Amino acid sequence: MPSVLAIISKSAFDKAHRTARPGDVIPIDRYASRHARLDVIAGGSLYLVTVRPAARLWLVAVLAQPVRDDSAWQARPNTVPITDVTDRIDRLVFSTGHGLTGALAQALQTPRLLTSSDEDVLRGTDAPAAVELTEEQLVALVLEAPDDVAPRMVYADWLLERGDARGEVLRRAVDGIDEDAEVRDWLGPLARVTTARVWRRGALDSFELGREDLADANTWQRAAESPWLRTVRRIQRGRAKWTRYRAFALSSLAQGLEEVTVDNRASLARLVARSRPALRRLILDNPVPAMQDVLATTDALPGLVQLALRSAEMPEVVAQWLEFRPAFEVMPSAPIFLDSGAVRDREVRRAFVQWLRTRGDAAVEHRHYDGRLSTYRLRAGVLRVITDKLSTDEVLLAEDAAPVKLILEPRGVDEPRLARHLEELLDDSKNWSWLNRAVRELLSGLGPARLELRGAYAALARLAGT
C-alpha cells in the first residue's frame, strides 16, 4: 500500500489557512489534483506538505486511504497536527533513493512515492539519527579523563573506521603496549624531529623537539601538522629554533597543551586568537610591555593558573610587571612566577611586597638561581612562605613585608632532608652565618605570637627562643 507526498501551494494554503501554525490540526478531507502519480496510492496515505518562508517545510495533513472522484482525492478529515519537518528533509529518500534536491517548491511539483522509512520520518516515529562527535570533541573527552579507558576506546574506533593508525596505537595501549619503541613507527615525520616522547594510555602526552639538522624543512613542517599533536599536553623546545617551537605550540591541532612559552608579542597574540581552556601555565620569555596589552584584553585563557616571567633583565622586568594589574584582573587565579633570583634586588623586592599587599591573597612563586622553588602569599598582614629550603630571599622578604604574622611552611619534600637543612641553619660554622643571624633576628623579633611554623619547620622554634 504505497503512500505519496504531495504539495499544497503557498498561495492556496495561505488563502484557506492563513492563521494556521505548527501544532494546529486542520481537518482537511480532500486534495484537488488529477496528477497521474497519485493513482498508485491504492489504500495508502496522502501526505500533504507546504513550503513556508525561509525554505521551511510543513507537514499539514495526512489523508488516510483517500478515494478519487472526478476532480479530487477525498478521505476522512485529517487528525495530524501541523509539523515543521524541515530538519528531517535530508532523511527522506523516496522510492528513487535520491531524496530532495534543489528548491523545495520546485522539487515537490511532482508527487513523490514514499518508502515506509519516509513515512516514519514524516510522522517522527523513526529512530533519531545518531549524532556523530567530531575529532576535536573526542579528543576533549580523552583529555578530560586521561586515566579513563572508555573515551580512548571510542576515539580508537572512530580512528580505525577512517583507516587512521592512531586507532591501533590506542587499542594496543589497552593491552599494556604503551612504550615508544612499539608505536614510534606510526608517528611518521614527528618521530624524526622529537625526542623524550612520553605516552599515556596510547596517546602521545609530551615530547622534546630535537636539533634543526635532524630533518629537512619539509619534514619539520609535516611534523608540525601531525594529528598526533591533538593529545599532547607539553612540548619542550629543547635545542630547536624558536620558529620550530612556535609551529608546534601555536598549531590549531595542539589545543590540549597545558604549558606554552612565547617569546614575542606576535606569538602571544596568535596564542590567544582562539580559546585555550587547557592552558594552565604561560611562560613569557623576555617579556616586553607590548605583551601586557594582549593579556589585558584576552578572555582566551580561562584555565590559566600561573604566569611565568623569564628574562635576563629580571629586576627591571619584575618591577614593571608587578605594576601590571590588568593581567591579573582578567586572570584572577593566576599567580606571577619569577623565574630568577630577582627578589634579592632590594628595590624590586619592595615593589614585590607592595604588589602582594594590593593583590590580597594572590600567590607568587619564585624560582631561585639554584632551581629551588618558593611560594609567597600575603593576606591580611600574614606572610606565608612555602619553600623547600629557607634562604636569604625568605628572610629579606619577611623583613620588608613586616607582617603581623609569618607562616613558614615546607613544600612537599621529605622531612629528613628538610631536617638536615634546619640542622645546618643552627650551625654557625656554615658559610651562611649571615643567614643564621638574620633568621635568628627575624624569629626573635617576631616572637611566638607572630610566628607559625608548619611541618618540619617546627624545629625552627629553637631559633626563636635564642
Side-chain angles (χ1 to χ4, degrees):
M1 296 183 296
S3 294
V4 176
L5 180 74
I7 190 171
I8 299 176
S9 69
K10 179 180 181 300
S11 58
F13 184 82
D14 287 343
K15 181 178 180 180
H17 313 287
R18 180 176 297 275
T19 61
R21 295 291 183 270
D24 296 343
V25 177
I26 305 175
I28 297 174
D29 59 1
R30 66 192 309 271
Y31 178 66
S33 174
R34 295 183 179 179
H35 202 291
R37 283 284 186 92
L38 298 177
D39 293 341
V40 300
I41 293 179
S45 297
L46 181 58
Y47 288 77
L48 302 178
V49 296
T50 188
V51 178
R52 309 309 298 159
R56 309 299 298 181
L57 185 67
W58 288 3
L59 173 67
V60 297
V62 178
L63 303 185
Q65 299 179 350
V67 177
R68 180 181 174 182
D69 60 18
D70 291 340
S71 60
W73 291 83
Q74 296 188 20
R76 293 183 178 180
N78 165 64
T79 59
V80 176
I82 298 176
T83 305
D84 189 334
V85 294
T86 310
D87 60 348
R88 307 176 195 175
I89 292 175
D90 59 351
R91 285 146 56 192
L92 297 172
V93 294
F94 306 117
S95 61
T96 61
H98 299 309
L100 284 175
T101 59
L104 286 177
Q106 184 175 357
L108 291 170
Q109 287 301 315
T110 300
R112 300 294 191 102
L113 186 63
L114 297 171
T115 65
S116 59
S117 64
D118 291 332
E119 292 191 68
D120 290 337
V121 168
L122 290 170
R123 289 182 176 272
T125 57
D126 62 326
V131 177
E132 184 172 342
L133 297 178
T134 64
E135 184 171 11
E136 290 77 7
Q137 291 171 320
L138 290 169
V139 171
L141 292 175
V142 170
L143 295 175
E144 286 174 8
D147 295 318
D148 190 350
V149 173
R152 276 172 160 69
M153 299 319 322
V154 173
Y155 186 30
D157 290 342
W158 189 93
L159 292 168
L160 289 171
E161 288 172 0
R162 289 156 179 78
D164 194 317
R166 290 176 294 156
E168 180 62 26
V169 175
L170 284 168
R171 281 210 166 276
R172 287 164 66 91
V174 175
D175 298 326
I177 303 175
D178 205 24
E179 297 298 325
D180 187 64
E182 298 286 343
V183 297
R184 61 187 175 191
D185 290 342
W186 278 300
L187 287 175
L190 194 60
R192 296 272 307 278
V193 302
T194 60
T195 62
R197 291 181 291 272
V198 176
W199 297 83
R200 188 169 185 174
R201 292 185 176 271
L204 186 60
D205 192 69
S206 65
F207 58 78
E208 182 177 315
L209 295 176
R211 303 186 312 273
E212 178 71 16
D213 59 1
L214 289 177
D216 57 27
N218 181 56
T219 301
W220 275 99
Q221 180 178 348
R222 289 189 294 118
E225 297 169 352
S226 171
W228 290 95
L229 292 178
R230 291 189 182 279
T231 60
V232 173
R233 296 191 298 171
R234 180 171 302 220
I235 300 174
Q236 298 293 332
R237 183 165 71 94
R239 300 175 65 182
K241 295 180 179 179
W242 273 110
T243 52
R244 299 302 184 199
Y245 173 80
R246 293 188 204 108
F248 286 84
L250 303 181
S251 168
S252 60
L253 295 173
Q255 289 297 298
L257 286 179
E258 296 181 355
E259 176 181 301
V260 172
T261 301
V262 295
D263 65 323
N264 57 54
R265 184 188 185 281
S267 296
L268 181 59
R270 282 182 59 192
L271 177 72
V272 302
R274 66 180 71 222
S275 180
R276 300 273 181 169
L279 193 65
R280 298 292 178 265
R281 186 169 189 252
L282 174 60
I283 304 171
L284 304 182
D285 194 273
N286 293 316
V288 295
M291 291 181 175
Q292 297 178 353
D293 298 336
V294 178
L295 290 176
T297 56
T298 185
D299 58 358
L301 309 175
L304 193 68
V305 296
Q306 189 176 92
L307 179 65
L309 307 179
R310 182 185 295 158
S311 174
E313 305 297 329
M314 184 56 69
E316 292 76 12
V317 169
V318 171
Q320 181 183 68
W321 279 81
L322 290 179
E323 297 175 359
F324 178 49
R325 296 292 302 281
F328 303 100
E329 289 170 359
V330 298
M331 297 177 291
S333 64
I336 189 172
F337 181 92
L338 310 179
D339 199 355
S340 168
V343 179
R344 297 171 188 264
D345 182 275
R346 180 171 294 275
E347 181 180 349
V348 173
R349 191 174 64 247
R350 286 175 176 168
F352 173 61
V353 171
Q354 182 58 40
W355 180 82
L356 272 175
R357 286 174 171 157
T358 60
R359 283 298 297 169
D361 62 350
V364 177
E365 292 196 346
H366 163 49
R367 177 77 66 180
H368 300 258
Y369 282 121
D370 60 4
R372 292 179 294 104
L373 185 68
S374 295
T375 298
Y376 307 108
R377 184 183 295 270
L378 183 65
R379 182 177 186 181
V382 176
L383 174 64
R384 183 181 175 197
V385 177
I386 307 173
T387 182
D388 55 5
K389 189 174 184 181
L390 195 64
S391 70
T392 56
D393 291 349
E394 281 76 48
V395 173
L396 292 175
L397 186 65
E399 183 182 76
D400 281 350
V404 174
K405 186 173 184 180
L406 172 66
I407 298 175
L408 295 179
E409 181 177 340
R411 172 188 296 277
V413 296
D414 59 290
E415 294 208 358
R417 172 187 166 191
L418 191 55
R420 287 194 300 272
H421 168 56
L422 297 177
E423 290 296 327
E424 292 173 346
L425 273 179
L426 291 170
D427 186 354
D428 280 328
S429 66
K430 295 294 181 180
N431 292 331
W432 50 17
S433 58
W434 177 88
L435 173 60
N436 293 342
R437 290 194 302 272
V439 170
R440 291 173 188 271
E441 291 173 4
L442 170 67
L443 301 183
S444 297
L446 287 175
R450 297 174 59 198
L451 176 67
E452 181 178 338
L453 303 172
R454 299 182 179 178
Y457 275 139
L460 283 173
R462 289 181 292 173
L463 291 177
T466 59

